[in-house]
Amino acid sequence: MHKEQLLEQLAELEHKQWINWAQHLIQTENLSQATIRRWQSFFVPYEQLSESIKELDREYARKVMDVVKKHPYHH
């Protein structure tokens, strides 16, 4: 797998994780309606996000890749 493919797969996974986290907070915290509406606008498949929002997910994906790269079991 190419590095960019891996980056995109990890970013997509990060986006799914963020949706789960955000949905949990919406249900359990006293968030403003403006925040809820803004967050819900991002409850779409990764492919439908703007490049600027995808880049936020890619930032965390790169952090994961750095950890894996430094791990002794990395080949």
Side-chain angles (χ1 to χ4, degrees):
M1 178 179 300
H2 291 66
K3 185 177 177 180
E4 289 303 312
Q5 288 174 312
L6 177 59
L7 177 65
E8 288 302 300
Q9 286 184 357
L10 290 172
E12 181 176 5
L13 183 61
E14 170 57 27
H15 179 63
K16 290 176 182 177
Q17 185 280 138
W18 177 85
I19 290 173
N20 288 334
W21 172 83
Q23 288 174 334
H24 173 75
L25 286 186
I26 287 171
Q27 294 173 2
T28 62
E29 302 296 323
N30 187 22
L31 302 174
S32 72
Q33 287 302 306
T35 296
I36 292 170
R37 280 191 303 275
R38 183 168 39 93
W39 285 6
Q40 286 176 332
S41 72
F42 300 117
F43 292 177
V44 298
Y46 178 77
E47 301 79 30
Q48 294 178 17
L49 297 171
S50 68
E51 281 301 310
S52 62
I53 299 301
K54 284 181 180 179
E55 190 56 34
L56 296 173
D57 292 321
R58 289 177 188 132
E59 286 179 23
Y60 280 91
R62 287 184 191 98
K63 291 176 183 185
V64 170
M65 290 173 71
D66 287 343
V67 167
V68 171
K69 186 177 179 181
K70 292 175 185 174
H71 196 279
Y73 295 111
H74 180 291
H75 297 135

